Amino acid sequence: MVQERSERTRRKLVQAGAEMFHRNGYANATLGEIAAFAGVTKGALYFHFASKEELAGAVQLRGCALLHESVRELRAAGLRPLQTLVDTTHWLALNLREEPSIPAGFRITKECAGLREGVTDFHRVWLAAVCELLWQAREAGELRTGTGWESIESLVAAAACGIETLAGTGMPYAELQRRVTGLWSLLLPSLVPEGAAANYRAGMPGTVPPSRPADHSADAPLAAFGAPVPAGITGSTG
């Protein structure tokens, strides 16, 4: 019971740290306000985290865990790698708004890169996930031949990294979602063999390409996509 209560307090602190780092930045966020936001004493905070740096590391690790778990769940639902990549970019757009550890991870990386050792580079983690799915799509024969791999990878990587920049402008989520959909509506026909773009969905899970009849069975396993935190992740709020 004590251990369960301790873990619950730790999750609250990680969530509060994510919120404060996201709102105020790493430099301006204080342990006092993080403890207050979590509803615990500063002593309780120090019991779990010896420093602001350690708490920031836990926030970064939470964001990475959520990203990797989302990719695993999408692949486990039977989606092809390229559709998983599309859906993962929509996941990012959603969670840049819904899950503070995601925008906090990007912000901590920007503020702390080069200033201290051992910083988790969330930009690199995100880019690695994108490029790995794109590589899997290539290995699965989903991408058209005759186009240089380096060009394809550079284009998709730049587009995927731009989502965080767009979100940072403060645009409403609905607009960001439309822009991500528009991005893939343009990219997919250039990435896959001629005529194959109709087999992919550029929009959020639950939507279908306009060129084919609705088939909700393919999207049914993704009904939980709207939840910002997949179930079963260590460190998720409960």
Side-chain angles (χ1 to χ4, degrees), residues 5 42 71 107 129 187 191:
R5 186 163 57 248
K42 203 168 179 181
V71 172
R107 186 161 185 177
L187 278 180
L191 292 176

Side-chain angles (χ1 to χ4, degrees), residues 1-177:
M1 193 69 175
V2 173
Q3 183 178 355
E4 186 178 312
R5 186 163 57 248
S6 177
E7 181 57 31
R8 191 161 53 243
T9 299
R10 189 182 190 281
R11 289 198 302 266
K12 285 182 180 179
L13 287 166
V14 172
Q15 190 73 6
E19 189 66 52
M20 293 297 103
F21 292 140
H22 169 41
R23 290 185 191 179
N24 304 327
Y26 177 81
N28 293 326
T30 69
L31 292 179
E33 69 180 358
I34 290 171
F37 191 84
V40 304
T41 65
K42 203 168 179 181
L45 186 152
Y46 278 117
F47 176 81
H48 291 279
F49 302 102
S51 64
K52 183 165 70 169
E53 179 179 350
E54 190 175 312
L55 177 56
V59 170
Q60 299 258 88
L61 290 177
R62 172 181 165 79
C64 293
L66 292 174
L67 169 60
H68 293 147
E69 181 66 16
S70 176
V71 172
R72 283 194 296 270
E73 288 188 353
L74 290 169
R75 292 291 281 134
L79 296 186
R80 289 170 289 192
L82 188 54
Q83 186 65 66
T84 300
L85 175 54
V86 173
D87 288 359
T88 299
T89 60
H90 280 290
W91 176 92
L92 179 70
L94 175 67
N95 284 279
L96 281 167
R97 182 193 68 161
E98 297 290 340
E99 170 49 54
S101 67
I102 302 302
F106 282 115
R107 186 161 185 177
I108 293 168
T109 296
K110 291 174 185 175
E111 290 191 26
C112 299
L115 299 180
R116 56 186 177 86
E117 296 294 326
V119 177
T120 300
D121 189 331
F122 197 78
H123 283 99
R124 286 184 177 272
V125 172
W126 168 244
L127 189 58
V130 168
C131 291
E132 173 62 24
L133 286 169
L134 189 64
W135 177 263
Q136 290 177 16
R138 180 192 184 191
E139 292 296 289
E142 291 187 86
L143 305 184
R144 71 167 64 209
T145 58
T147 304
W149 166 251
E150 187 173 323
S151 299
I152 292 175
E153 186 180 44
S154 298
L155 176 62
V156 174
C161 288
I163 295 171
E164 187 264 335
T165 301
L166 286 173
T169 66
M171 70 172 58
Y173 168 65
E175 181 181 350
L176 180 60
Q177 180 186 335

